[in-house]
Amino acid sequence: MVAVRVIPCLDIDGRRGVVVKGVNFQGLREVGDPVELAMRYDEEGADELVVLDITASVEDRPTFLKVVREVATSVSIPVTIGGGVRSMEDADKLFKAGADKVSVNTAAVRKPELVAELARQYGSQSTVVAIDAKRVGESYKVYIRGGNTPTDLDAVRWAAKAVELGAGELLVTSIDRDGTRSGYDLDLIKAVYSAAKVPLIASGGAGDYSHFYEAALAGADGLLAASLFHFRIVDIRRLKEYLASRGVDVRVDY
Ligand SMILES: O=C(O)c1ccccc1NC[C@H](O)[C@H](O)[C@H](O)COP(=O)(O)O
């Protein structure tokens, strides 16, 4: 069984260079320093980090690039960087700042060929497509621009298309569950898992140990969380022991 990765997510206010957290992508409040949190998670045994500039403004973003450089040089684990990546130039700056993988969300929907270009230039393994989704009846709609703009894309079909374009990994966030600690949207994970045969990072809603186990059983290769790590509700070392005791293959030799 492929090892499941535990992945804390640092949502960054790119203008202030601080970690923020909200609920359903709203009501963002400061929760800590990026480097301090990154180093704590690395020490606790996180397998990777995701660092997202969720207030990405269009002009050049020196503050966020500085956060990326500081975080990437402070931890020994891979970092995926996203938020406001609009072009190959944006991606190049992030890779040069230390990103191991770059995630694209809005720009991939608007310019799908960007996914193919990134995969050609940096490899599919470094190309992550992030999909933010809201449940609509029995299906899921893709939202872009930080959850503010609905599209007419079905999230499952868009996931399959993103993989066809060259995405090597999918980061799938439930906007409905974000920050609620009510659990991942397992139907969303199962639906995307069945349609896209690349590693899938589940995101949004993790609230206790059992939620990670459920998501792993639903097919997630990566278990992303923000709130409950930032608020010290779950300890990563204990989470991995919990998952290993239930037969989930996790990296514990750190
Ligand atoms: O991804 C975005 O664009 C965005 C924009 C504004 C506010 C939040 C955003 N994303 C939320 C992050 O992906 C968040 O880390 C995940 O939803 C996981 O959050 P938790 O539910 O707290 O574990």
Side-chain angles (χ1 to χ4, degrees), residues 36-225:
E36 273 173 36
L37 283 172
M39 291 177 74
R40 167 155 77 88
Y41 295 143
D42 188 10
E43 165 52 35
E44 282 183 2
D47 296 292
E48 288 186 26
L49 291 177
V50 167
V51 182
L52 290 178
D53 177 355
I54 58 172
T55 57
S57 40
V58 287
E59 72 268 6
D60 209 19
R61 293 171 291 141
T63 305
F64 182 60
L65 282 174
K66 181 170 175 290
V67 166
V68 171
R69 267 191 289 277
E70 288 172 353
V71 167
T73 50
S74 305
V75 299
S76 61
I77 52 180
V79 292
T80 297
I81 309 294
V85 177
R86 299 273 181 279
S87 65
M88 292 299 284
E89 294 72 29
D90 289 345
D92 188 55
K93 283 180 189 166
L94 293 176
F95 281 114
K96 285 196 168 79
D100 298 283
K101 297 185 258 186
V102 163
S103 82
V104 284
N105 186 331
T106 300
V109 169
R110 288 181 166 159
K111 287 190 302 180
E113 67 278 6
L114 177 62
V115 178
E117 279 178 66
L118 285 166
R120 261 196 305 277
Q121 176 75 19
Y122 300 105
S124 284
Q125 79 289 346
S126 298
T127 304
V128 180
V129 168
I131 301 172
D132 295 338
K134 264 188 190 166
R135 190 171 194 130
V136 178
E138 289 309 304
S139 61
Y140 293 90
K141 182 189 281 272
V142 175
Y143 277 65
I144 55 174
R145 296 185 60 255
N148 289 310
T149 306
T151 72
D152 56 7
L153 289 175
D154 172 84
V156 176
R157 276 201 289 278
W158 168 233
K161 176 74 180 155
V163 172
E164 267 175 46
L165 287 162
E169 193 160 81
L170 297 170
L171 167 50
V172 181
T173 295
S174 161
I175 300 173
D176 306 299
R177 302 300 180 94
D178 166 66
T180 65
R181 307 208 306 254
S182 59
Y184 291 101
D185 186 327
L186 300 177
D187 292 337
L188 174 60
I189 297 169
K190 288 172 188 166
V192 172
Y193 178 72
S194 64
K197 291 297 172 228
V198 296
L200 162 59
I201 313 300
S203 164
D208 70 30
Y209 293 89
S210 63
H211 293 157
F212 292 89
Y213 179 59
E214 292 164 353
L217 293 186
D221 302 277
L223 306 170
L224 182 148

